Amino acid sequence: MSNKTLRIELSILEKQFPKDHECFQVVMASNEELICRFINKDSKYTLNCNISPNYPIVMPIWYSESEVEAPFITPLIEELNSADGACVVASHPLLAKVRQFVSQMCDICSIPVPAVIGELFSLASSLQVERTDSDEENHEDMESNDSGSLVGAVGGYDPDEDEEIDFENDFEEDFDDDEMFGDDLDLTEGLPEDIGADTGITDENKALLEKVRMNARQEYLQGQTSSTSSVRASDRLMRELRDIYRSQNFKDGLYTVELIDDSLYNWYIKIYKVDPDSTLFEDMKRLKESENIDHILLHTVFDDKFPYSPPFVRVVRPVIKGGYILAGGAICMELLTPQGWSSAYTMEAVVLQISATLVKGKARIMFSQAKGESYSLAKAQHTYKSLVKIHEKSGW
């Protein structure tokens, strides 16, 4: 199966469930996202689907903005995201999942299931046969063409098919632990002199480093270390923060870091600059002009197992379509999951990789959203857990 499968599935869904369908409507369909609406009398329930570039090898992520007011939808969404069952091995998984959801919703609402729901697979088979015949005709025409051109040849490059992103290989570098970390920091020692010796760091950031370090030392000496922190994690985070303050990218204003309530474990990261040749760059210029917001805000949370467990990172604002941003602002990146994370990754490299992934995923800012609207932390956490669970079984 390939993206041709996806195009067939989307084509059928759009044709059979137009925006005026009395029961189930496809509001928007693209290679990256599917937005649907289930209708029951005066009630409307949304169904959203984020589609991976590697579909159908990687199954889509399903969620619904209607879960808050209609909690009965939650178990249905969990079933859609399950890596088990016949839907996963079906020849057209997207159609199978839609059929499953619509059938269950009709059963819950005690309304008839649309007849076309039972015909989706036969429609897909017919359309696939038609397209295969068309492809063969085109192939024969090309063989009789003396020009020798391979443009459009079967098996040739398809611009609609996104290049597979290998996050780990694209990102991984050779790190020397001793070079990166130096001698271990000991939070039981007073180290203001060490901070003062740091070159290339502003006095303001030196003062913040000293304040945070002394707070961590005091908590350690008094036995007040919380369940979400540890000496090892605090030690590494201090070094990460110090290296960021020294970084040329930080000094050039590509991004900034703000500690929430002076906590080493809770950061706001603001991305100010992306690839100037990208549509996201133009969107950020427009965002600055229209709403006086000149950055993409990320919320990053670390636990006591860092750097051996990944940070949780989500987009807070603006609302973004594409760019591998999922429900609630969760980020679909292998390196942010336990399967793809490495303790060798630095936080600056993570920030730069997120910025590059937004551009590579053709992220667009949703100006149609209400001004100042942001994502939900609870929704992002829920989506992230589903993402990790799915990829634990199906891989990346």
Side-chain angles (χ1 to χ4, degrees):
M1 287 188 288
S2 67
N3 275 11
K4 185 184 294 183
T5 298
L6 177 60
R7 289 193 289 272
I8 289 174
E9 291 179 296
L10 294 177
S11 174
I12 290 172
L13 291 174
E14 286 186 291
K15 183 176 180 179
Q16 300 301 324
F17 302 107
K19 295 179 182 179
D20 58 353
H21 194 280
E22 62 180 8
C23 178
F24 189 69
Q25 304 169 351
V26 173
V27 179
M28 192 278 288
S30 73
N31 286 351
E32 299 175 348
E33 186 176 17
L34 176 67
I35 302 176
C36 305
R37 184 186 299 124
F38 184 88
I39 311 295
N40 178 33
K41 298 179 181 178
D42 295 330
S43 300
K44 299 179 180 180
Y45 309 99
T46 62
L47 176 65
N48 301 68
C49 173
N50 286 107
I51 304 170
S52 166
N54 298 324
Y55 174 84
I57 297 173
V58 176
M59 287 293 104
I61 302 293
W62 299 85
Y63 63 98
S64 174
E65 299 294 347
S66 302
E67 288 184 73
V68 176
E69 62 268 23
F72 64 84
I73 291 181
T74 299
L76 305 187
I77 298 298
E78 291 176 351
E79 282 190 49
L80 292 179
N81 285 320
S82 171
D84 302 321
C87 291
V88 177
V89 296
S91 57
H92 295 90
L94 195 65
L95 296 182
K97 294 288 188 179
V98 168
R99 183 176 67 175
Q100 173 183 315
F101 179 80
V102 174
S103 299
Q104 291 176 329
M105 286 293 290
C106 287
D107 184 53
I108 290 172
C109 298
S110 300
I111 60 176
V113 178
V116 72
I117 284 294
E119 303 170 0
L120 294 178
F121 282 179
S122 60
L123 290 170
S125 297
S126 299
L127 190 56
Q128 195 158 15
V129 169
E130 291 175 7
R131 294 198 175 187
T132 299
D133 291 343
S134 176
D135 288 344
E136 289 177 354
E137 291 176 5
N138 291 336
H139 184 59
E140 291 174 359
D141 290 342
M142 288 182 60
E143 287 181 340
S144 63
N145 191 335
D146 295 331
S147 67
S149 172
L150 294 179
V151 177
V154 176
Y157 173 69
D158 185 347
D160 291 329
E161 293 189 13
D162 293 332
E163 177 185 357
E164 181 177 346
I165 298 174
D166 187 344
F167 288 115
E168 187 164 351
N169 291 333
D170 288 348
F171 173 71
E172 191 171 308
E173 301 175 17
D174 292 329
F175 288 95
D176 184 297
D177 285 349
D178 293 334
E179 180 181 342
M180 183 162 63
F181 302 133
D183 297 328
D184 286 342
L185 283 178
D186 185 351
L187 292 175
T188 63
E189 298 293 332
L191 294 171
E193 296 82 7
D194 182 59
I195 295 173
D198 287 330
T199 59
I201 301 178
T202 66
D203 290 342
E204 179 182 0
N205 289 332
K206 284 181 185 177
L208 178 59
L209 281 171
E210 181 174 345
K211 178 182 179 181
V212 171
R213 183 175 293 175
M214 295 306 292
N215 286 344
R217 173 175 176 265
Q218 192 67 22
E219 289 178 2
Y220 176 82
L221 293 175
Q222 295 178 0
Q224 296 176 348
T225 304
S226 72
S227 59
T228 59
S229 63
S230 68
V231 172
R232 184 189 299 273
S234 296
D235 176 37
R236 173 63 178 267
L237 287 169
M238 282 297 302
R239 294 187 180 278
E240 291 288 345
L241 197 58
R242 183 187 63 187
D243 290 344
I244 284 173
Y245 288 156
R246 287 171 166 170
S247 160
Q248 193 60 48
N249 289 317
F250 177 82
K251 294 174 182 177
D252 289 344
L254 268 68
Y255 69 95
T256 62
V257 172
E258 173 189 343
L259 302 188
I260 302 174
D261 297 327
D262 291 335
S263 171
L264 272 173
Y265 293 82
N266 214 359
W267 296 12
Y268 275 145
I269 299 171
K270 295 179 180 179
I271 297 176
Y272 287 91
K273 297 179 181 180
V274 297
D275 183 350
D277 295 326
S278 67
T279 52
L280 181 58
F281 177 81
E282 296 300 324
D283 281 357
M284 290 182 69
K285 286 172 58 178
R286 180 182 166 191
L287 186 69
K288 169 66 174 176
E289 295 169 357
S290 62
E291 300 184 25
N292 199 31
I293 297 175
D294 58 358
H295 60 271
I296 296 171
L297 180 62
L298 306 178
H299 180 205
T300 305
V301 180
F302 305 88
D303 63 18
D304 62 333
K305 297 180 181 63
F306 183 82
Y308 299 106
S309 65
F312 171 69
V313 186
R314 70 183 180 100
V315 176
V316 178
R317 65 172 184 265
V319 175
I320 291 174
K321 174 186 173 184
Y324 305 98
I325 305 302
L326 307 179
I331 304 174
C332 183
M333 286 177 59
E334 184 180 6
L335 69 86
L336 293 178
T337 67
Q339 302 100 307
W341 176 255
S342 167
S343 61
Y345 295 161
T346 67
M347 281 310 298
E348 168 160 284
V350 170
V351 172
L352 297 180
Q353 183 66 11
I354 289 174
S355 178
T357 298
L358 289 171
V359 171
K360 193 167 188 177
K362 302 175 183 177
R364 299 300 304 268
I365 293 174
M366 299 297 289
F367 292 98
S368 59
Q369 301 287 346
K371 184 176 181 180
E373 181 176 342
S374 61
Y375 289 110
S376 159
L377 172 59
K379 176 65 71 175
Q381 291 173 329
H382 175 77
T383 303
Y384 174 77
K385 289 177 182 177
S386 298
L387 176 74
V388 171
K389 189 175 180 180
I390 288 171
H391 288 298
E392 279 179 347
K393 294 185 177 181
S394 60
W396 287 83

